[in-house]
Amino acid sequence: MRIAGIDIGGTSIKVGVFDGDMLVHKDSRKTPFDSPDAVCDLIADMLLGQNIQLAGVGTAGSVESFSDTVSASNLGWEGVPLRRMLTERLGVPVWVDNDAQAAIMAEWHDGVCRGAECAVYLTLGTGIGGAMIVAGKPYRGKNNLGAEFGHMIIHPDGPRCVCGRRGCLEYYASATALKRMAGGLSCRTIIDRAKAGDKAMLDVFDAFIRELCIGMNTLIMVFDPEYIVLGGGLSGAGEFLAERCQRELERIFADTTDPLYCRVRIARHKNDAGIIGAALLARENLL
Ligand code: BGC
């Protein structure tokens, strides 16, 4: 059976076609911002001739279970009936979920939080996506809108986030934030230079880590997870990122009587976790 995994992000759209567990086709294109129809047309084009039987989607934004629609500030979408739109174009059953919810499924299935009882996932990309496993099960909240950790307010008087709130974690600790903090340099340049010991870039990166760890500290104190898994584009920074987060958390916890058990890990599937998890969710929910 051939299943498509589709990851709709604020920068790119990635598709993967899986034959059983094998990734047999992969493509990535820039996200069009014209309309949800343009996104769906592009996806249909990327999957043309792939002979798929099912499709799973992980999209930026909230996927309401009761109305079966997607709202995504990063894409400029409100109440978009994505499942219906893609079913019409692809001609196969489609499962639609939040992108971080999809990604955590891949890591929980055979990645760095495999089988965990309690784990938190953060995608660090255009925005910050969140998902979690609680008591050995994915946690989605009452309306499938839970775990949006990117919109925890960490500086109440801070600038406005794309979501409309002020001072969200996403504003300070997404890939977009890192870029802004370095005057518009690409994340790859910032990380490469920081890794090579460039003092200015190390300072920027460490300031970014401090913001990210304000959010992580809250997540640890509220949920006591075994792991915080980092995915999304920035997970390409690998151990350089994970180790610095762990060190910053140790610094925060050193001033308290609280033990720090949580480990920060980089998603095994890195930026492919979204397409893998979306295909897994389609198989699990549509077969
Ligand atoms: C959205 C989330 C999404 C994340 C990553 C955030 O701005 O609110 O729903 O998971 O970006 O794409």
Side-chain angles (χ1 to χ4, degrees), residues 8-10 59-62 73-74 98-100 123 127-130 148 151 162 170:
I8 304 177
T59 179
S62 314
S73 44
N74 270 335
N98 168 268
D99 52 0
T123 64
I128 291 188
E148 282 280 4
H151 303 290
V162 281
E170 171 169 311

Side-chain angles (χ1 to χ4, degrees), residues 24-287:
V24 292
H25 172 77
K26 202 171 146 181
D27 194 3
S28 172
R29 311 260 182 98
K30 237 169 117 4
T31 307
F33 283 89
D34 328 6
S35 65
D37 274 306
V39 168
C40 293
D41 290 345
L42 177 64
I43 291 170
D45 185 54
M46 290 166 89
L47 288 169
L48 206 65
Q50 285 302 321
N51 199 19
I52 56 167
Q53 277 103 49
L54 291 180
V57 181
T59 179
S62 314
V63 184
E64 279 182 13
S65 50
F66 52 92
S67 62
D68 197 16
T69 60
V70 181
S71 297
S73 44
N74 270 335
L75 300 169
W77 292 3
E78 203 171 336
V80 173
L82 187 64
R83 194 177 59 79
R84 181 170 57 69
M85 292 168 76
L86 279 173
T87 308
E88 278 166 18
R89 284 167 176 83
L90 301 177
V92 298
V94 178
W95 179 261
V96 173
D97 227 311
N98 168 268
D99 52 0
Q101 291 285 358
I104 200 171
M105 291 314 288
E107 293 300 315
W108 193 48
H109 177 69
D110 66 353
V112 296
C113 63
R114 182 178 173 178
E117 273 289 300
C118 183
V120 164
Y121 195 98
L122 294 175
T123 64
L124 307 178
T126 312
I128 291 188
M132 65 185 305
I133 304 292
V134 176
K137 283 200 304 230
Y139 180 81
R140 294 167 165 282
K142 168 79 171 74
N143 303 299
N144 200 36
L145 303 177
E148 282 280 4
F149 302 132
H151 303 290
M152 296 191 296
I153 293 172
I154 64 164
H155 298 294
D157 298 322
R160 221 174 264 292
C161 173
V162 281
C163 76
R165 295 174 186 80
R166 284 189 181 278
C168 290
L169 179 65
E170 171 169 311
Y171 183 87
Y172 295 93
S174 55
T176 313
L178 179 61
K179 222 168 129 177
R180 187 183 54 239
M181 288 163 82
L185 287 176
S186 75
C187 290
R188 174 159 303 180
T189 306
I190 301 164
I191 289 158
D192 285 350
R193 290 194 192 162
K195 279 184 176 168
D198 179 321
K199 169 85 172 68
M201 288 303 117
L202 272 171
D203 287 349
V204 167
F205 198 66
D206 286 341
F208 166 83
I209 296 285
R210 280 198 293 280
E211 300 291 356
L212 180 57
C213 287
I214 295 175
M216 286 192 184
N217 171 70
T218 302
L219 293 170
I220 294 170
M221 295 313 289
V222 175
F223 298 115
D224 179 24
E226 294 166 78
Y227 307 110
I228 294 179
V229 181
L230 300 180
L234 271 191
S235 62
E239 285 313 307
F240 185 70
L241 170 66
E243 275 165 18
R244 285 182 128 73
C245 289
Q246 195 76 42
R247 225 183 297 151
E248 173 62 6
L249 289 170
E250 276 158 17
R251 191 191 66 76
I252 295 172
F253 274 68
D255 291 335
T256 75
T257 54
D258 303 318
L260 176 63
Y261 294 120
C262 178
R263 312 303 303 166
V264 179
R265 294 192 152 177
I266 298 295
R268 172 181 163 207
H269 298 293
K270 298 230 167 71
N271 218 6
D272 278 351
I275 54 170
I276 297 171
L280 281 173
L281 281 165
R283 190 159 68 188
E284 197 179 294
N285 290 290
L286 299 174
L287 275 188

